[in-house]
Amino acid sequence: EETTKQQEPVTPDPKETEAAETTQPAEEAKTEAAQEPAPQPEPDPLAEAQAALEKEHDNYLRLAAEYDNYRKRSQKEKDNMFRDGKASAIEKMLPVYDNLSRALEQETTDAAYKKGVEMTMTELVKIFTGLGVEIFGEAGEHFDPSLHNAVMHIEDESLGKNVVAQVFQSGYRRGDRILRHAMVQQAN
């Protein structure tokens, strides 16, 4: 008997099978719904094209602005180089001007020699004027430390306070740039 009981097929309870069948389709429906993506709207080709156009237009404007900045920076560098080159050339000619000034101050009996030095000095001054160089530093001027280099000091009541008493070497400027400060003696 015991062996026959073990061999008898087990028949499932109809209530259990119904419950299992009803829950199974609901679970399958949930997993199927999770597996299927929700339908997405198709992208609008016009909107995509407009977005791409806006991006390219923005890139174009940035490139144009970058090029404009480069052009301005290059022009400014070129102008500065030219200005600095002029200033450097003028600075190298200043000792020539100083030597011609000293030569004119010396007494000579040769009138032709003196006339030649005067003509050379006149031409050099014309060149400096043409290049925009201003010569400054004369006795009686007000002493300005940004223009004058005081190498000596003198107490003289006949001169005012902070006055240039004597000039040892003239000063030169081109525009707002000082090429060489005037070497002077300051009074009081």
Side-chain angles (χ1 to χ4, degrees):
E1 288 179 30
E2 288 181 20
T3 56
T4 56
K5 281 187 183 177
Q6 290 176 351
Q7 291 176 357
E8 286 182 20
V10 178
T11 56
D13 185 20
K15 291 181 184 177
E16 289 177 7
T17 55
E18 283 179 24
E21 287 176 4
T22 57
T23 56
Q24 192 175 21
E27 289 175 7
E28 286 178 14
K30 286 180 187 176
T31 56
E32 286 178 16
Q35 291 174 355
E36 287 183 29
Q40 295 180 352
E42 288 187 25
D44 184 18
L46 179 62
E48 286 179 359
Q50 286 177 339
L53 178 65
E54 286 177 17
K55 183 179 177 185
E56 289 301 319
H57 183 68
D58 184 54
N59 287 342
Y60 169 75
L61 290 177
R62 289 178 189 273
L63 182 64
E66 188 175 321
Y67 175 73
D68 191 44
N69 290 339
Y70 166 76
R71 186 183 53 78
K72 288 177 184 176
R73 185 175 54 248
S74 296
Q75 183 64 36
K76 186 177 179 180
E77 287 173 358
K78 187 172 95 174
D79 292 344
N80 287 341
M81 234 186 306
F82 184 69
R83 186 185 71 227
D84 291 345
K86 267 186 170 179
S88 178
I90 292 167
E91 287 173 4
K92 294 196 182 330
M93 291 191 304
L94 294 181
V96 174
Y97 179 87
D98 294 335
N99 290 336
L100 287 173
S101 294
R102 287 186 203 102
L104 284 175
E105 292 172 1
Q106 298 301 317
E107 292 297 323
T108 183
T109 56
D110 190 358
Y113 174 77
K114 184 169 183 158
K115 181 73 173 172
V117 173
E118 286 174 351
M119 289 172 58
T120 305
M121 183 64 144
T122 304
E123 286 300 312
L124 188 58
V125 169
K126 281 183 187 175
I127 290 170
F128 280 171
T129 304
L131 293 172
V133 176
E134 180 186 341
I135 302 169
F136 64 90
E138 294 185 15
E141 285 182 357
H142 178 72
F143 177 78
D144 183 358
S146 64
L147 300 175
H148 303 102
N149 182 16
V151 293
M152 294 179 71
H153 180 76
I154 187 172
E155 292 292 332
D156 188 355
E157 296 300 322
S158 64
L159 296 172
K161 188 174 182 177
N162 287 334
V163 173
V164 174
Q166 185 179 0
V167 178
F168 300 114
Q169 201 174 42
S170 296
Y172 304 88
R173 75 172 146 213
R174 184 170 180 269
D176 60 346
R177 181 176 177 175
I178 303 294
L179 300 173
R180 184 172 80 185
H181 291 79
M183 193 180 307
V184 299
Q185 179 183 41
Q186 180 187 5
N188 304 321

